[in-house]
Amino acid sequence: MRDHAEMELMLKGYGLTTAHILYHMPDHPHVLQSYIWQDYDLAPRFPALIRFVEFWRAKLEGPLHSVRYTHKKLISATEWRNVTGELALH
């Protein structure tokens, strides 16, 4: 069932967004730790990523150092075609 929902998101223009988050450890502020976040999101506004970063700032103790992200549409216009007919040869 989840695969079907993911395909619907991809057909609606969502792509896979991966964020590499560096943050300061709460008990040792001079030490950085990394966290990888991944979800389907819409470029260029990235509402899911922004919601996650806002959640992090509001609820978690480790202050953010930096966020780097990449985004890739898994289905693009060049890969999706509507076929209106088919020709079969023997």
Side-chain angles (χ1 to χ4, degrees):
M1 184 69 175
R2 180 167 167 82
D3 292 337
H4 185 66
E6 290 175 357
M7 179 60 79
E8 287 180 11
L9 285 174
M10 287 185 269
L11 291 173
K12 291 179 183 177
Y14 283 74
L16 191 60
T17 301
T18 304
H20 180 233
I21 299 169
L22 284 177
Y23 64 96
H24 297 273
M25 292 186 66
D27 296 338
H28 305 284
H30 60 282
V31 176
L32 291 176
Q33 189 152 358
S34 68
Y35 180 78
I36 303 295
W37 174 89
Q38 195 172 54
D39 202 357
Y40 291 98
D41 209 354
L42 283 170
R45 296 188 187 264
F46 300 103
L49 177 58
I50 290 171
R51 271 193 312 274
F52 180 75
V53 169
E54 288 172 353
F55 164 79
W56 186 293
R57 287 183 174 164
K59 304 288 183 183
L60 301 179
E61 292 182 20
L64 294 173
H65 175 272
S66 61
V67 177
R68 293 183 314 171
Y69 67 91
T70 60
H71 179 79
K72 175 69 176 157
K73 287 185 87 170
L74 301 175
I75 297 178
S76 66
T78 59
E79 297 175 18
W80 180 258
R81 294 184 308 166
N82 184 17
V83 178
T84 58
E86 184 177 336
L87 177 64
L89 297 176
H90 299 304

